Amino acid sequence: MDPSLDTWDFSSPLISLWINRFYIYLGFAFGISLWICFQIVIRKQLFIFKDKNSKDKSVPKATRDLMTNGYISLQKKDILVSGVKIFYGSQTGTAKGFAASLAEAVTSLRLPVAVINLQEYDPDDHLVEEVTSKNVCAFVVATYTDGRPTESAEWFCKWLEEASSDFRFGKTYLKGMRYAVFGLGNSAYANHFNKVGKNVDKWLWMLGAHRVVARGEGDCDVVKSKHGSIEADFRVWKTKFISRLQALRKGERKPCGGNCKKGQCESSAEEEPFESTSEEESGTEDQQSLNSVVDVEDLGKIMNCVKKEKREKEHQEEKSTLVRNAVKGEASERRAMITPALREALTKQGYQLIGSHSGVKLCRWTKSMLRGRGGCYKHTFYGIESHRCMETTPSLACANKCVFCWRHHTNPVGTEWRWKMDQPEMILKEAIENHQSMIKQFKGVPGVREDRFEEGMMVKHCALSLVGEPIMYPEINRFLKLLHECKISSFLVTNAQFPVEIRNLKPVTQLYVSVDASTKDSLKKIDRPLFKDFWQRFLNSLKALAAKLAFPLFQQQRTVYRLTLVKAWNVDELQAYAELVTLGNPDFIEVKGVTYCGESSASSLTMANVPWHEEVVHFVRELVALIPNYEIACEHEHSNCLLIAHTRFKIDGEWWTWIDYNRFQELVQEYEDSGGLTNFSAKDYVAKTPLWALFGASERGFDPKDTRYQRKNKPKDISGC
């Protein structure tokens, strides 16, 4: 026997394991394989169960919660959206109306909803509660003058701005809060269009709140509005908000942008940067890669990337628009100035709307004179027959939003004509027809004089001062020519923001320029003009007025400054007014106390801003003392108005401020027949002012032939005393 075998002991366990090691390896491999197969089957069954559970909505909750171990879970399903809070900041009531509309839509989802005026909300105490409340907060905020928030939202915006830049709050202060923003603005104010909406969106984002839907931007400018009107802009955003709200209730994440594998974005639940709006689409690779927490050093790069992409998109859209405009005519692209909402608002105010941008309305002085009562101040100053005067405008749009606007800013605004344009022949024809139709309604009304009614059916004067800026109408000269062909005098009022148009204007009976303030700051505060260079335009307009007097070929109408005094706003600038009078050298200066037209959320004007007649008289006396060659000529106490006239209209010690309208029509006809070569001046068609219309007369501007004056001066019956 081999002695080496003696060293091996085959009965040893280790030797047995070594000899049978292949069987052991095989057993381990089989066990691992079996475990893997078991895990695959279990996971597959669990996935099928979850998929079935998410789709089967008709199965009771207890059954859906059935677990694989055979017992029913007693846990309640998490509430993902507990309700909606809608905050609004409104000045004219539009944002408030939108908030109510949004609340109605949310209520249809059977969700609790609260509509809150930001003026009554304290963010310092309550805003942080939205972090854990599981509410979705919607902010409907308007942008007011100079990009500032409305009065009701002023404190909220101030608090939010300070909190967003206060290190003590930090960028996670509102983490967990969900919000959406819809801003209201007017793109005519390009520098601060929707500034408040953008800021609220930005500040909430900086404090860590989560945006659930992209910011909406409503535009009052129907030309630039993406959907035709601010109401349409809101409806589109509201639809997106409601759709997103439904998705949040189901626990769905934001839909995939399609730029990732298998359509499942890891960042699909992340929000967009605060610069985005409802018209911008998310889903780009750069945006999808953003995390909710961004390093400050990388923030600038990310923002630059987003802004660059936005600029490229806007450039592409601009190119597309140019291509479309090349295919379609320019006229077909322009929108009507009067939107359905504007038509409804103006119709309620008594307007008879004409075409797509004009209107006519019956003046209360027309109604007064039909009854044999007094006429307006133009009757006292210039001899207009108020019952034969048609108040109209070929342009409802204006370049200002004056604080004392007696239409409460229902008319559109703009700095240039960008709307569809109606022909002047149609405007004049329908204006006269509508005016006559309104006069007919007074037939048989007690107190209406038959002779005045018959005269009222024949329009003799046209006051182009109803609302808006008539000189904006591109065919204003053709419209004026048509008026004069119909033997209708023309009184045109402009807000001194279109100097070129004033310079190119053909003869009118009387040309007015509104001088509502005498300094740049006060003009900005009172008129709230759209133009950036509003002050230079204002001065150039006054110079254009003076040019019509300096050069004979341009002096074909009487020129008037119209001053509206707003107590505590523009009554202390006498020296500055005197300098403006020297600049424009007008024939006449009308000084009138502002008329209070009732409370308006669009203006802070109150009765306290309306000066007494004695205060207007005092102002006029002081102004006349500063301007040589001007004197007080006439007074209309009822309108709180006085007329300052240049002494060239005081002939042989008597005032000749009235107008010989027949003579004017003869002169303007000669001007047209000669192709504009003949010349006439304002003094060529003057008429003597009656004594009762003069300043200081006992009638105080009342025509003695008016029944109201007769009643006022009738001796009192004292027989019973």
Side-chain angles (χ1 to χ4, degrees):
M1 180 178 245
D2 188 352
S4 63
L5 294 175
D6 293 339
T7 62
W8 290 88
D9 187 358
F10 289 95
S11 63
S12 173
L14 294 175
I15 297 299
S16 299
L17 289 173
W18 175 255
I19 295 173
N20 299 303
R21 63 184 182 277
F22 296 105
Y23 298 104
I24 295 172
Y25 294 160
L26 184 61
F28 272 114
F30 178 76
I32 292 171
S33 299
L34 187 63
W35 182 81
I36 292 173
C37 292
F38 179 77
Q39 292 295 325
I40 292 173
V41 172
I42 291 298
R43 289 179 180 275
K44 185 175 181 181
Q45 290 296 325
L46 185 61
F47 175 78
I48 293 173
F49 174 76
K50 287 183 177 180
D51 184 60
K52 182 179 179 182
N53 187 41
S54 64
K55 291 181 179 180
D56 189 6
K57 301 296 181 182
S58 62
V59 179
K61 183 178 185 302
T63 306
R64 292 200 308 267
D65 288 342
L66 187 63
M67 305 302 291
T68 55
N69 56 7
Y71 73 91
I72 296 177
S73 172
L74 296 178
Q75 285 185 332
K76 293 182 179 180
K77 186 178 179 181
D78 287 342
I79 298 175
L80 300 177
V81 179
S82 61
V84 176
K85 288 186 178 180
I86 303 171
F87 301 87
Y88 70 87
S90 182
Q91 193 72 23
T92 63
T94 306
K96 182 179 180 180
F98 285 172
S101 174
L102 184 61
E104 186 178 349
V106 172
T107 303
S108 66
L109 301 180
R110 297 183 179 180
L111 273 174
V113 61
V115 180
I116 302 170
N117 186 347
L118 285 172
Q119 191 172 21
E120 302 168 356
Y121 184 77
D122 189 349
D124 203 16
D125 292 338
H126 302 295
L127 192 60
V128 73
E129 296 173 0
E130 307 306 332
V131 171
T132 56
S133 66
K134 295 188 178 180
N135 288 322
V136 174
C137 300
F139 295 86
V140 184
V141 289
T143 299
Y144 196 41
T145 308
D146 294 333
R148 298 195 306 268
T150 60
E151 293 178 8
S152 60
E154 193 170 8
W155 164 246
F156 176 83
C157 290
K158 182 180 180 181
W159 181 92
L160 202 60
E161 180 182 15
E162 292 176 352
S164 66
S165 57
D166 192 335
F167 72 93
R168 292 170 295 182
F169 286 88
K171 60 184 179 181
T172 59
Y173 179 70
L174 295 179
K175 187 175 183 180
M177 174 183 171
R178 294 173 294 181
Y179 76 96
V181 176
F182 181 82
L184 294 80
N186 193 316
S187 58
Y189 297 91
N191 284 348
H192 43 256
F193 172 57
N194 255 313
K195 187 175 180 180
V196 175
K198 293 174 182 176
N199 283 341
V200 170
D201 188 19
K202 176 180 69 174
W203 294 329
L204 289 170
W205 182 83
M206 291 173 65
L207 287 169
H210 176 78
R211 185 192 306 104
V212 298
V213 68
R215 183 182 68 250
E217 293 186 352
D219 192 350
C220 289
D221 191 332
V222 296
V223 174
K224 293 185 178 180
S225 169
K226 293 184 180 296
H227 304 98
S229 69
I230 192 170
E231 292 81 9
D233 293 337
F234 175 72
R235 285 194 297 269
V236 170
W237 180 84
K238 182 175 71 173
T239 301
K240 293 181 180 180
F241 177 79
I242 295 299
S243 176
R244 183 71 183 124
L245 201 59
Q246 290 173 317
L248 288 172
R249 292 185 70 188
K250 298 175 184 178
E252 295 178 6
R253 299 198 302 175
K254 192 173 179 179
C256 173
N259 296 325
C260 56
K261 295 180 180 179
K262 298 182 181 180
Q264 296 178 353
C265 302
E266 290 182 1
S267 60
S268 62
E270 301 299 336
E271 62 186 65
E272 303 162 356
F274 61 79
E275 283 84 355
S276 64
T277 68
S278 59
E279 301 304 322
E280 299 165 9
E281 298 296 331
S282 61
T284 62
E285 292 180 2
D286 290 334
Q287 288 176 336
Q288 288 176 351
S289 64
L290 288 175
N291 295 321
S292 59
V293 179
V294 181
D295 193 316
V296 176
E297 295 180 358
D298 297 331
L299 186 60
K301 296 179 181 179
I302 294 173
M303 293 299 100
N304 289 336
C305 182
V306 172
K307 290 179 180 178
K308 180 181 178 182
E309 182 181 331
K310 181 180 177 181
R311 285 195 299 269
E312 291 176 353
K313 182 177 179 180
E314 289 175 348
H315 182 65
Q316 291 176 355
E317 290 178 351
E318 192 173 86
K319 289 173 67 177
S320 300
T321 303
L322 291 174
V323 172
R324 286 197 301 269
N325 288 340
V327 177
K328 298 181 180 181
E330 183 182 357
S332 64
E333 289 293 319
R334 292 185 172 184
R335 298 171 179 168
M337 182 187 294
I338 304 176
T339 63
L342 179 60
R343 183 176 296 276
E344 181 181 0
L346 293 176
T347 302
K348 287 181 180 178
Q349 296 179 26
Y351 283 84
Q352 295 293 320
L353 300 179
I354 304 166
S356 63
H357 54 75
S358 307
V360 63
K361 194 175 188 289
L362 207 61
C363 174
R364 77 179 187 88
W365 289 108
T366 301
K367 304 172 188 177
S368 174
M369 213 161 188
L370 284 171
R371 292 183 170 94
R373 300 177 182 177
C376 69
Y377 69 89
K378 292 188 184 73
H379 171 63
T380 301
F381 296 171
Y382 315 117
I384 271 187
E385 298 172 277
S386 300
H387 63 297
R388 301 185 67 182
C389 180
M390 176 178 68
E391 192 175 23
T392 187
T393 180
S395 170
L396 290 164
C398 187
N400 291 344
K401 300 192 76 174
C402 303
V403 295
F404 51 76
C405 178
W406 60 320
R407 301 306 179 195
H408 297 314
H409 309 119
T410 49
N411 54 308
V413 292
T415 56
E416 60 182 354
W417 191 273
R418 300 187 303 272
W419 302 276
K420 292 179 180 178
M421 188 184 72
D422 300 326
Q423 294 304 308
E425 291 82 2
M426 183 274 287
I427 296 173
L428 180 58
K429 178 177 178 292
E430 292 196 17
I432 294 175
E433 290 175 354
N434 279 288
H435 178 80
Q436 291 173 335
S437 177
M438 289 185 285
I439 294 290
K440 286 180 182 177
Q441 297 174 12
F442 286 84
K443 188 173 185 178
V445 173
V448 173
R449 288 171 45 174
E450 186 175 349
D451 59 331
R452 293 278 177 94
F453 176 80
E454 295 298 328
E455 291 174 345
M457 293 296 293
M458 297 177 289
V459 178
K460 186 177 181 180
H461 314 288
C462 180
L464 293 166
S465 59
L466 177 62
V467 71
E469 180 63 85
I471 207 168
M472 283 181 68
Y473 177 49
E475 294 293 341
I476 185 62
N477 280 326
R478 276 180 60 198
F479 185 80
L480 292 170
K481 183 179 179 181
L482 291 170
L483 281 174
H484 299 151
E485 288 176 355
C486 296
K487 306 304 178 185
I488 299 174
S489 66
S490 51
F491 288 73
L492 188 146
V493 180
T494 176
N495 288 316
Q497 289 294 298
F498 296 91
V500 175
E501 286 76 5
I502 292 175
R503 205 171 286 117
N504 296 333
L505 193 68
K506 285 193 173 183
V508 295
T509 309
Q510 191 154 282
L511 177 61
Y512 287 79
V513 170
S514 293
V515 181
D516 301 324
S518 58
T519 65
K520 183 177 181 180
D521 291 339
S522 58
L523 187 69
K524 182 178 181 180
K525 180 181 178 182
I526 294 174
D527 279 4
R528 297 187 294 190
L530 272 65
F531 284 106
K532 297 178 184 177
D533 57 341
F534 67 92
W535 182 245
Q536 191 58 50
R537 284 177 168 271
F538 177 75
L539 297 179
N540 289 343
S541 295
L542 302 186
K543 293 176 182 177
L545 207 69
K548 293 182 177 294
L549 178 64
F551 303 100
L553 289 177
F554 292 105
Q555 172 55 17
Q556 292 115 12
Q557 61 259 317
R558 295 151 57 112
T559 58
V560 185
Y561 275 12
R562 187 173 69 172
L563 276 62
T564 301
L565 298 186
V566 185
K567 196 173 179 180
W569 285 29
N570 64 354
V571 296
D572 301 322
E573 305 168 349
L574 283 163
Q575 186 58 48
Y577 276 119
E579 293 172 1
L580 293 179
V581 171
T582 304
L583 184 65
N585 195 20
D587 294 321
F588 305 97
I589 305 169
E590 293 177 4
V591 184
K592 186 178 184 297
V594 67
T595 301
Y596 181 64
C597 301
E599 184 179 354
S600 168
S601 54
S603 171
S604 58
L605 199 71
T606 68
M607 277 298 297
N609 299 116
V610 180
W612 294 95
H613 185 63
E614 291 76 11
E615 292 174 312
V616 176
V617 173
H618 178 72
F619 176 91
V620 169
R621 289 183 186 277
E622 289 190 332
L623 179 60
V624 168
L626 297 173
I627 48 178
N629 302 321
Y630 285 91
E631 295 179 12
I632 306 175
C634 302
E635 175 185 27
H636 192 262
E637 185 180 25
H638 191 282
S639 297
N640 200 8
C641 187
L642 281 84
L643 178 69
I644 302 172
H646 198 283
T647 51
R648 57 176 166 265
F649 291 92
K650 196 172 187 179
I651 304 172
D652 297 331
E654 296 179 319
W655 284 111
W656 291 65
T657 65
W658 275 36
I659 298 172
D660 185 340
Y661 294 100
N662 293 330
R663 179 57 181 156
F664 170 78
Q665 297 297 347
E666 294 173 0
L667 292 169
V668 80
Q669 187 61 51
E670 293 175 6
Y671 172 84
E672 293 293 345
D673 293 343
S674 67
L677 296 179
T678 59
N679 178 40
F680 63 92
S681 71
K683 291 183 65 175
D684 291 337
Y685 54 99
V686 296
K688 187 178 179 180
T689 310
L691 295 177
W692 59 263
L694 298 177
F695 175 68
S698 59
E699 293 87 354
R700 306 297 292 273
F702 287 106
D703 191 336
K705 294 182 294 184
D706 295 336
T707 57
R708 182 171 56 185
Y709 175 79
Q710 293 166 7
R711 287 198 305 271
K712 181 180 178 182
N713 291 274
K714 183 179 180 181
K716 295 180 181 179
D717 183 4
I718 58 174
S719 59
C721 295

